[in-house]
């Protein structure tokens, strides 16, 4: 009986968690790459470029959920609350892992957009972030949090 109490994520499939994570990853990747391209084009330093990239990752990550929920007929104000509730932890974990890997990869911070090392570190970071964020999303959805909030509007 004690086991049943501990298994909160029973109703959440790995496929659902992976879909939610992929949804988040898509927004994060678009925002982060766009931020890096803009920062590089403006010849900003690493810190300014990363701040822009992370900010845009959150903007795009939230916007994907926002548009889906608004399309389902929810008011913009309510949709913003849903997006913040659904995606904040997922995006934060993803960005922390991805940027941590880029920062820890020798030479990646100074690599240019035309360098293979830049893309290898970025894509490798996203891959690891996906693997780490998926169980986080599964756990949250199983508790009625995160993307479970969004699925109520689908």
């Amino acid at each position: 009986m004690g086991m049943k109490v501990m298994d909160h994520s029973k109703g959440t499939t790995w496929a659902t968690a992976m879909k939610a994570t992929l949804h988040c990853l898509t927004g994060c990747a678009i925002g982060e790459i766009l931020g890096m391209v803009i920062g590089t084009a403006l010849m900003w330093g690493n810190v300014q470029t990363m701040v822009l990239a992370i900010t845009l990752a959150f903007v795009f990550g939230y916007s994907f959920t926002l548009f889906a929920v608004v399309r389902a007929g929810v008011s913009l104000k309510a949709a913003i609350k849903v997006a913040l509730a659904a995606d904040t932890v997922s995006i934060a974990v993803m960005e922390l892992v991805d940027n941590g890997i880029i920062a820890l990869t020798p030479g990646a911070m100074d690599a240019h957009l035309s360098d293979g090392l830049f893309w290898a570190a970025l894509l490798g970071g996203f891959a690891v972030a996906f693997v780490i964020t998926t169980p986080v999303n599964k756990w949250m959805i199983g508790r009625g949090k995160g993307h479970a909030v969004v699925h109520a509007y689908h």
Side-chain angles (χ1 to χ4, degrees):
M1 230 202 266
M3 189 64 160
K4 194 172 188 178
V5 174
M6 294 174 79
D7 187 16
H8 296 291
S9 59
K10 185 179 176 200
T12 308
T13 65
W14 281 104
T16 300
M18 289 171 72
K19 185 178 175 189
T21 306
L22 195 59
H23 190 250
C24 174
L25 178 68
T26 303
C28 288
I30 291 168
E32 198 163 313
I33 292 168
L34 187 61
M36 290 181 184
V37 168
I38 292 169
T40 301
L42 296 175
M43 293 190 281
W44 287 359
N46 287 340
V47 174
Q48 297 94 325
T49 300
M50 279 186 90
V51 168
L52 178 64
I54 292 168
T55 301
L56 290 177
F58 273 90
V59 169
F60 279 89
Y62 287 137
S63 68
F64 276 40
T65 297
L66 198 61
F67 291 131
V69 175
V70 168
R71 201 169 52 237
V74 177
S75 73
L76 185 60
K77 187 178 178 184
I80 290 170
K81 288 179 182 174
V82 169
L84 291 173
D87 294 333
T88 300
V89 172
S90 185
I91 296 170
V93 170
M94 192 155 298
E95 285 302 295
L96 188 67
V97 172
D98 179 53
N99 285 288
I101 287 171
I102 292 169
L104 294 172
T105 302
M109 289 295 291
D110 298 316
H112 298 281
L113 295 174
S114 58
D115 293 344
L117 176 62
F118 168 84
W119 293 102
L122 183 69
L123 298 176
F126 281 137
V128 173
F130 180 83
V131 168
I132 291 173
T133 308
T134 298
V136 172
N137 280 333
K138 186 177 188 306
W139 182 80
M140 287 177 58
I141 293 166
R143 280 155 189 71
K145 297 179 180 353
H147 274 261
V149 179
V150 176
H151 293 294
Y153 297 98
H154 282 241

